[in-house]
Amino acid sequence: LQVAARHAAPLPLTEMLLANRWLESSGDTATVGILEGDRITAAPWGRSAATVLGLDLDTGELVHVSGGQVTPGANMAGEARDDVRVPSGAVRTVQPEPAFELIALGRAVCMAGTLQRILALALQYANEREQFGRSISKFQAIQHNLAIMAGEVAAASRAADAAIDAIGSERFGLEVAAAKSRIGEAA
C-alpha cells in the first residue's frame, strides 16, 4: 500500500485487499463501502466489483451484495465511489477482525507513502531550482525546512510500521489510532 501511494496509484487497494480477505475470495473483484440504511455508500469501483461489502458502523457486521443496483458516483479526485442498493435478504456476517482499525491502518500506510513521495519531490525541486546563481538547497532556511520535513516523514513511516507490527495483538487499536494521529500531524 505504501509503495502504491508513493506512486499515486489511483486504486482502492485497501478496500479490495480487505474485501477479498474477508470473503476468502478466489479471485473475484470485491470492495468495501459504508452501510447506511439500505445502501452501501462510497464503495470504490462498486460498479466493477463482483461483490460489494457494506460495513455497518453500528454493529461492525458486513452485508454482502452481489449484483445490486449501482448508482455511479465519484469522490473529489474523480475516482469512482459508487452507491449500491442492498436488496432485502442480503447476507450479513459478523466480522471477526477489527474492520474499522484495518481500514484506518490502510489509510495511514497510504498517507505515509504519499509523504515519502512529497519529500522526494521537495528534495528534487530544491536541488534543481536556482536562485542568485546557486541551488536553493544550499540556503540554510531551505535546508532547515527540508530537515524538518524529513523528520516528519520518518516519524510517520515509523508510526505506520508500528501499527502494522501490532496486527493481531491487543494493542492494535491503540497503535492504529496513534499512527493515524502522528501521520495526520506530519501531513
Side-chain angles (χ1 to χ4, degrees):
L1 291 174
Q2 204 171 65
V3 171
R6 193 177 312 133
H7 295 285
L11 303 170
L13 291 177
T14 299
E15 292 86 353
M16 290 172 58
L17 290 170
L18 289 175
N20 282 305
R21 176 185 175 105
W22 294 332
L23 288 171
E24 297 177 358
S25 181
S26 60
D28 288 339
T29 55
T31 190
V32 178
I34 302 299
L35 181 66
E36 293 180 2
D38 67 342
R39 302 193 74 72
I40 298 171
T41 61
W45 290 98
R47 66 191 83 164
S48 301
T51 304
V52 178
L53 297 177
L55 184 59
D56 189 327
L57 296 176
D58 296 324
T59 65
E61 291 181 321
L62 291 173
V63 175
H64 303 239
V65 176
S66 296
Q69 180 185 1
V70 176
T71 304
N75 64 11
M76 290 175 51
E79 300 166 333
R81 295 295 186 269
D82 305 326
D83 290 348
V84 180
R85 191 177 148 310
V86 178
S88 60
V91 175
R92 285 182 173 260
T93 58
V94 176
Q95 177 53 39
E97 292 186 307
F100 300 115
E101 288 87 347
L102 287 169
I103 291 172
L105 175 61
R107 296 278 187 274
V109 169
C110 287
M111 289 173 66
T114 301
L115 288 171
Q116 291 169 1
R117 178 67 174 155
I118 291 168
L119 175 61
L121 289 172
L123 289 169
Q124 179 183 355
Y125 180 79
N127 285 319
E128 291 175 356
R129 174 85 159 91
E130 290 189 7
Q131 187 71 35
F132 306 114
R134 61 184 180 156
S135 169
I136 65 170
S137 65
K138 304 294 182 197
F139 293 105
Q140 187 175 11
I142 300 295
Q143 291 173 347
H144 178 75
N145 284 326
L146 288 173
I148 290 171
M149 186 179 198
E152 292 291 332
V153 171
S157 296
R158 181 59 198 120
D161 291 344
I164 290 168
D165 291 343
I167 291 175
S169 74
E170 59 187 49
R171 68 179 209 284
F172 178 60
L174 182 61
E175 288 286 349
V176 170
K180 281 285 286 177
S181 176
R182 184 63 189 95
I183 294 167
E185 183 180 330

